[in-house]
Amino acid sequence: MSEVRDNLQEGEAGVRGEQPFPDQVRSTEATRPDLHGLLTTSHSSSADISPSPSAESGGLLSLPWEILIHIVSYLPVHFVVNVLPKVCHALSNVGQDRTAWQLRAQRLVGSRAAFPVGPREDFDWPGACLEMEQLITCWSGEVEHVARQNQEDEERREQAIPQDGEPGVGGQDDGGEGEVKGVGVAVQEVAYGADEAMEVAMEGEEGEMQHVLGGDQVARLREELEDRLEGDAAALMEEEMDHRRVFNVNEGRDALLNHQEDLPDHRNLGNGQHVEARSPSPPPALECITLPSGHIAHVNSVLLLGGEGKVCATASRDWNVKLWDLELGSLLHTMGRQGDFSSHRGWVWCLASQGPLLASGGFDSTVRLWDLQAGGADRALIRTRAAVLCLSCQPDMLLAGTFDKQVSMYDTRAAAPLVKSIRMHSNAVMCLCADDKYIISGSKDCTVAVYDRRAGKGLKRLRLSSYLLSMSYSGCEVWAGDNGGMLHSFTMQAGTFKAVSQFDVGHTALITGIHRSSGSLYTCSSDCTVKVHIPCAPPRTLSTLHYQAGVHGLSVEAGVLAVASGDVRVQIWRPRK
């Protein structure tokens, strides 16, 4: 019996007891938080004022079109999309040239990778290039950042004058061999950062992603790191013990840890003293914060809300759903009806939202609806016939996949919300996604099914060698993660659903969460990792984050990444301001 099935049975057993979760009595508040300002996305746009071309026929306007395209290919995407149309009317046409964007995308993913994985017709090439450049900038800078951080720490140590008679780090009687062994964790840290970015940077010698880091720079940086490690072992051990940085939300300091305390093989110093692994610092373009420990059990799901990554909701096995203000790093509200001790009467397993509506599904066989514009007030309670394992909110419909093998459709505006229940699987429905035409669901029976909403019938059913636990549907592509750590890609075009390929991206256990957009791919797993990829074939992994416990879910919005791990923590990665 798999881990997921064990969790389902354990959760439903807890529901039958109908006892409030311990230490979970919540004080009622006189007023609910005002979420309207946080959840309203501003869509301000400036007018596109393109100056007329000069009457003079010389200069840039006289260059052949091929040369113009070649020049523009070296400019940042945001400059091409936002600045050039206002500077030169002639160059504004470059932003509409599909061939130029396709060539640029190929440079970003590399000559040996296919992009996009799905159909190329109507693909958003500028948007994909913009996302990929931002992803590379944010997530492939570990090498430079670690080297710079080590240099700064070395300079600080040189300025510090040790006291006479003060024993050295790790003891003076252990000998050089013991001191070198004691820096094993520091070596792992630098090697981790180098491996993650050098995989991308080294390929620059073959014409791929040259802007990240040149081959000569990589070799020079590697030599500097090795010399620094060999020549200053004792100082690195001192850094290991004394220079851990902890983010303090209330004081507003930048987070420098990504909670990778589970780096393998914690090392011991020569005198037997235990040294804990220090998490690698986040890339310089990102900051990381850890939300205060608001839950007392594992967080099963996290969801960013509002379109700007300023608010997030968390769902936990402590039976509660909580709202968080990410600008302040503080708890906004714990959901619940008047008189209830918790948001649900069992584990809360999944979240979904559409506009001001937030839906949570739990092992108490209910879907609860919360009004975000009313400060998270209770809006409705929908009773299902089994534990709710996945949700999808559409503008006109709420979809729920349940343990009793069904996908149910609800109209949240109606007094009797159930519209229809469909059964296309022979086991629990583990994940689903949808749009206005199709519902795609994955089940523990190792099948993927497609339901045509307009025709009101099943369209296709594919059998796999494993079962899917997470799914992301964007454009014409569907990406999913299975119970063995493999990624699967499918296409959905003109009523035809096809399996494209499957990829091994390094996960060794259940892929519990996935987010795919035109230029980014994020995955998380119960193997205690989160990976950031470019969504090409095969996916190019830019970074891997390590955690102490299995990661249960992730959410991505406006460049912000929220991660829910099994150690009751929720971590937020976002671009530095």
Side-chain angles (χ1 to χ4, degrees):
M1 193 67 68
S2 70
E3 176 188 335
V4 173
R5 183 60 177 267
D6 292 339
N7 285 343
L8 297 177
Q9 293 175 342
E10 179 184 353
E12 294 201 309
V15 172
R16 288 192 292 269
E18 289 293 328
Q19 295 295 324
F21 205 91
D23 299 327
Q24 202 53 40
V25 177
R26 202 173 21 84
S27 60
T28 58
E29 299 174 341
T31 59
R32 296 185 181 275
D34 182 10
L35 303 178
H36 184 70
L38 290 171
L39 295 172
T40 301
T41 305
S42 174
H43 296 284
S44 60
S45 59
S46 58
D48 184 8
I49 304 174
S50 301
S52 300
S54 171
E56 299 179 2
S57 59
L60 189 64
L61 298 181
S62 64
L63 293 175
W65 181 249
E66 292 78 7
I67 295 179
L68 290 178
I69 292 178
H70 185 71
I71 293 173
V72 171
S73 67
Y74 290 95
L75 298 175
V77 174
H78 75 89
F79 189 88
V80 175
V81 174
N82 300 321
V83 179
L84 281 181
K86 299 178 182 180
V87 176
C88 179
H89 179 72
L91 285 179
S92 67
N93 294 327
V94 175
Q96 307 300 323
D97 190 286
R98 287 177 58 86
T99 302
W101 288 118
Q102 291 174 16
L103 293 173
R104 191 184 191 98
Q106 197 63 53
R107 288 178 56 230
L108 291 171
V109 304
S111 59
R112 294 188 296 270
F115 182 83
V117 175
R120 300 168 70 91
E121 296 83 5
D122 300 323
F123 185 75
D124 181 12
W125 292 98
C129 290
L130 177 59
E131 279 196 75
M132 285 191 287
E133 281 196 359
Q134 291 174 339
L135 206 69
I136 292 168
T137 300
C138 289
W139 290 100
S140 62
E142 288 91 342
V143 173
E144 301 94 323
H145 184 59
V146 169
R148 184 166 58 253
Q149 190 66 49
N150 285 345
Q151 179 65 34
E152 293 172 359
D153 291 341
E154 188 176 36
E155 293 173 357
R156 283 196 295 269
R157 287 193 298 271
E158 291 174 354
Q159 296 174 359
I161 302 176
Q163 299 295 326
D164 293 338
E166 183 176 282
V169 176
Q172 296 180 346
D173 299 329
D174 294 334
E177 181 179 354
E179 291 180 351
V180 173
K181 182 178 179 180
V183 299
V185 173
V187 175
Q188 285 182 355
E189 176 181 329
V190 176
Y192 163 76
D195 290 343
E196 291 296 340
M198 284 184 183
E199 179 183 1
V200 177
M202 293 284 285
E203 292 178 354
E205 299 176 0
E206 300 181 11
E208 301 174 22
M209 306 176 75
Q210 298 176 2
H211 63 287
V212 179
L213 196 63
D216 293 337
Q217 292 175 299
V218 172
R220 195 161 52 249
L221 180 58
R222 187 185 293 274
E223 291 176 2
E224 291 176 1
L225 292 176
E226 291 175 351
D227 291 341
R228 193 170 296 145
L229 287 173
E230 293 174 359
D232 202 2
L236 282 172
M237 284 191 294
E238 180 181 356
E239 178 190 37
E240 225 12 69
M241 297 193 315
D242 299 329
H243 290 280
R244 296 187 189 94
R245 294 168 176 84
V246 179
F247 177 82
N248 186 321
V249 174
N250 294 328
E251 295 181 7
R253 294 198 297 264
D254 288 339
L256 295 179
L257 299 180
N258 70 353
H259 293 287
Q260 294 172 328
E261 292 92 345
D262 63 326
L263 284 177
D265 298 329
H266 290 187
R267 307 305 173 98
N268 295 325
L269 297 177
N271 62 356
Q273 181 181 358
H274 181 265
V275 179
E276 293 183 358
R278 190 188 69 173
S279 302
S281 299
L286 296 172
E287 65 177 0
C288 173
I289 66 171
T290 300
L291 297 180
S293 183
H295 291 286
I296 60 174
H298 292 180
V299 179
N300 287 326
S301 181
V302 61
L303 181 65
L304 292 166
L305 305 169
E308 295 181 346
K310 294 182 178 179
V311 178
C312 83
T314 55
S316 170
R317 297 183 188 184
D318 65 9
W319 303 8
N320 277 318
V321 177
K322 295 179 181 288
L323 280 181
W324 301 86
D325 182 347
L326 301 185
E327 294 288 291
L328 301 177
S330 60
L331 178 64
L332 281 171
H333 184 55
T334 299
M335 307 298 204
R337 298 195 299 175
Q338 187 70 29
D340 284 352
F341 292 99
S342 57
S343 308
H344 281 254
R345 295 294 182 90
W347 288 2
V348 192
W349 196 253
C350 50
L351 296 169
S353 70
Q354 178 69 39
L357 176 69
L358 173 66
S360 58
F363 280 20
D364 58 355
S365 301
T366 67
V367 176
R368 302 195 181 225
L369 307 179
W370 315 98
D371 189 343
L372 298 177
Q373 287 186 336
D378 172 64
R379 177 166 161 180
L381 170 66
I382 298 174
R383 298 193 180 277
T384 62
R385 287 183 276 185
V388 181
L389 305 181
C390 49
L391 291 169
S392 176
C393 274
Q394 301 301 312
D396 62 336
M397 197 77 66
L398 170 66
L399 307 171
T402 50
F403 187 69
D404 62 353
K405 315 166 189 176
Q406 297 189 89
V407 174
S408 298
M409 296 178 278
Y410 299 97
D411 183 349
T412 59
R413 302 162 296 180
L418 180 61
V419 175
K420 188 176 184 179
S421 291
I422 56 177
R423 183 168 176 174
M424 300 182 66
H425 299 284
S426 59
N427 209 325
V429 179
M430 307 301 293
C431 56
L432 61 84
C433 56
D435 60 12
D436 60 342
K437 298 179 181 178
Y438 307 106
I439 301 172
I440 305 170
S441 56
S443 168
K444 203 173 179 182
D445 64 3
C446 299
T447 63
V448 182
V450 182
Y451 181 82
D452 189 328
R453 293 181 56 185
R454 297 180 178 181
K457 63 179 182 179
L459 186 65
K460 192 161 188 177
R461 192 166 178 262
L462 298 178
R463 179 162 293 279
L464 308 175
S465 59
S466 56
Y467 65 88
L468 305 179
L469 288 104
S470 53
M471 189 178 290
S472 179
Y473 182 16
S474 175
C476 296
E477 296 182 26
V478 179
W479 288 69
D482 69 16
N483 62 312
M486 298 291 291
L487 282 181
H488 300 255
S489 63
F490 308 88
T491 60
M492 185 74 228
Q493 187 181 31
T496 302
F497 183 74
K498 296 189 302 182
V500 177
S501 186
Q502 65 179 33
F503 309 102
D504 183 356
V505 294
H507 286 302
T508 58
L510 312 169
I511 296 182
T512 53
I514 186 170
H515 172 88
R516 181 264 172 191
S517 62
S518 60
S520 66
L521 177 64
Y522 299 79
T523 57
C524 65
S525 170
S526 59
D527 66 4
C528 309
T529 64
V530 175
K531 293 180 180 287
V532 183
H533 324 264
I534 292 178
C536 50
R540 180 184 296 264
T541 303
L542 298 178
S543 185
T544 300
L545 308 177
H546 296 266
Y547 291 83
Q548 283 185 320
V551 182
H552 294 157
L554 58 77
S555 179
V556 179
E557 185 177 76
V560 179
L561 167 66
V563 178
S565 64
D567 56 2
V568 199
R569 295 175 180 174
V570 175
Q571 201 173 69
I572 308 297
W573 294 80
R574 60 191 179 191
R576 290 189 187 276
K577 295 183 179 179

Short mmCIF file of all heavy atoms in Angstrom, two decimals, residues 26 28-29 32 336-341 370 378:
data_model
loop_
_atom_site.label_atom_id
_atom_site.label_comp_id
_atom_site.label_asym_id
_atom_site.label_seq_id
_atom_site.Cartn_x
_atom_site.Cartn_y
_atom_site.Cartn_z
N ARG A 26 -9.60 28.38 18.66
CA ARG A 26 -9.26 29.64 18.05
C ARG A 26 -10.12 30.75 18.61
O ARG A 26 -11.33 30.61 18.77
CB ARG A 26 -9.49 29.51 16.53
CG ARG A 26 -8.76 30.47 15.69
CD ARG A 26 -8.95 30.14 14.21
NE ARG A 26 -10.12 29.33 13.95
CZ ARG A 26 -11.33 29.84 13.81
NH1 ARG A 26 -11.53 31.11 13.92
NH2 ARG A 26 -12.34 29.04 13.54
N THR A 28 -12.19 34.07 18.48
CA THR A 28 -12.91 34.78 17.43
C THR A 28 -12.51 36.23 17.45
O THR A 28 -12.22 36.82 18.50
CB THR A 28 -14.42 34.66 17.66
OG1 THR A 28 -14.73 35.19 18.94
CG2 THR A 28 -14.85 33.20 17.60
N GLU A 29 -12.49 36.81 16.26
CA GLU A 29 -12.08 38.19 16.13
C GLU A 29 -13.30 39.07 15.91
O GLU A 29 -14.27 38.68 15.26
CB GLU A 29 -11.11 38.35 14.97
CG GLU A 29 -9.85 37.53 15.15
CD GLU A 29 -8.99 37.60 13.90
OE1 GLU A 29 -9.53 37.95 12.84
OE2 GLU A 29 -7.80 37.30 14.00
N ARG A 32 -12.91 41.15 10.71
CA ARG A 32 -12.09 40.34 9.81
C ARG A 32 -11.09 41.24 9.10
O ARG A 32 -11.33 42.42 8.91
CB ARG A 32 -12.98 39.62 8.78
CG ARG A 32 -13.94 38.63 9.43
CD ARG A 32 -14.70 37.85 8.37
NE ARG A 32 -15.62 36.92 9.01
CZ ARG A 32 -15.28 35.72 9.42
NH1 ARG A 32 -14.05 35.30 9.25
NH2 ARG A 32 -16.17 34.92 9.98
N GLY A 336 -12.83 29.94 9.33
CA GLY A 336 -13.72 29.15 10.16
C GLY A 336 -15.10 29.77 10.28
O GLY A 336 -15.25 30.99 10.21
N ARG A 337 -16.09 28.92 10.46
CA ARG A 337 -17.44 29.41 10.68
C ARG A 337 -17.64 29.74 12.15
O ARG A 337 -16.93 29.24 13.02
CB ARG A 337 -18.45 28.35 10.23
CG ARG A 337 -18.36 28.03 8.74
CD ARG A 337 -19.58 27.28 8.25
NE ARG A 337 -19.75 26.00 8.91
CZ ARG A 337 -20.79 25.20 8.74
NH1 ARG A 337 -21.75 25.56 7.92
NH2 ARG A 337 -20.86 24.04 9.35
N GLN A 338 -18.61 30.59 12.42
CA GLN A 338 -18.89 31.00 13.79
C GLN A 338 -19.20 29.77 14.65
O GLN A 338 -20.05 28.96 14.31
CB GLN A 338 -20.09 31.96 13.80
CG GLN A 338 -20.37 32.59 15.16
CD GLN A 338 -19.29 33.58 15.55
OE1 GLN A 338 -18.68 34.19 14.68
NE2 GLN A 338 -19.06 33.74 16.84
N GLY A 339 -18.45 29.65 15.74
CA GLY A 339 -18.69 28.55 16.66
C GLY A 339 -17.85 27.32 16.40
O GLY A 339 -17.81 26.41 17.22
N ASP A 340 -17.16 27.26 15.24
CA ASP A 340 -16.31 26.11 14.93
C ASP A 340 -14.92 26.32 15.54
O ASP A 340 -14.42 27.44 15.65
CB ASP A 340 -16.18 25.92 13.42
CG ASP A 340 -17.44 25.32 12.82
OD1 ASP A 340 -18.32 24.91 13.59
OD2 ASP A 340 -17.53 25.27 11.58
N PHE A 341 -14.30 25.21 15.90
CA PHE A 341 -12.95 25.26 16.45
C PHE A 341 -11.88 25.25 15.36
O PHE A 341 -10.72 25.55 15.62
CB PHE A 341 -12.71 24.08 17.39
CG PHE A 341 -13.53 24.15 18.65
CD1 PHE A 341 -14.70 23.42 18.77
CD2 PHE A 341 -13.14 24.94 19.70
CE1 PHE A 341 -15.46 23.48 19.92
CE2 PHE A 341 -13.88 25.02 20.86
CZ PHE A 341 -15.05 24.28 20.97
N TRP A 370 -14.79 30.20 0.88
CA TRP A 370 -14.47 31.37 1.70
C TRP A 370 -14.44 32.60 0.80
O TRP A 370 -13.93 32.57 -0.31
CB TRP A 370 -13.11 31.19 2.38
CG TRP A 370 -12.91 29.83 2.99
CD1 TRP A 370 -12.25 28.77 2.45
CD2 TRP A 370 -13.41 29.37 4.25
NE1 TRP A 370 -12.28 27.70 3.28
CE2 TRP A 370 -12.98 28.03 4.40
CE3 TRP A 370 -14.15 29.96 5.28
CZ2 TRP A 370 -13.29 27.27 5.53
CZ3 TRP A 370 -14.45 29.21 6.41
CH2 TRP A 370 -14.02 27.89 6.53
N ASP A 378 -16.91 32.79 5.91
CA ASP A 378 -17.51 31.56 5.39
C ASP A 378 -18.61 31.89 4.39
O ASP A 378 -19.48 32.72 4.65
CB ASP A 378 -18.09 30.75 6.55
CG ASP A 378 -18.88 29.57 6.06
OD1 ASP A 378 -18.28 28.68 5.44
OD2 ASP A 378 -20.10 29.54 6.29
#
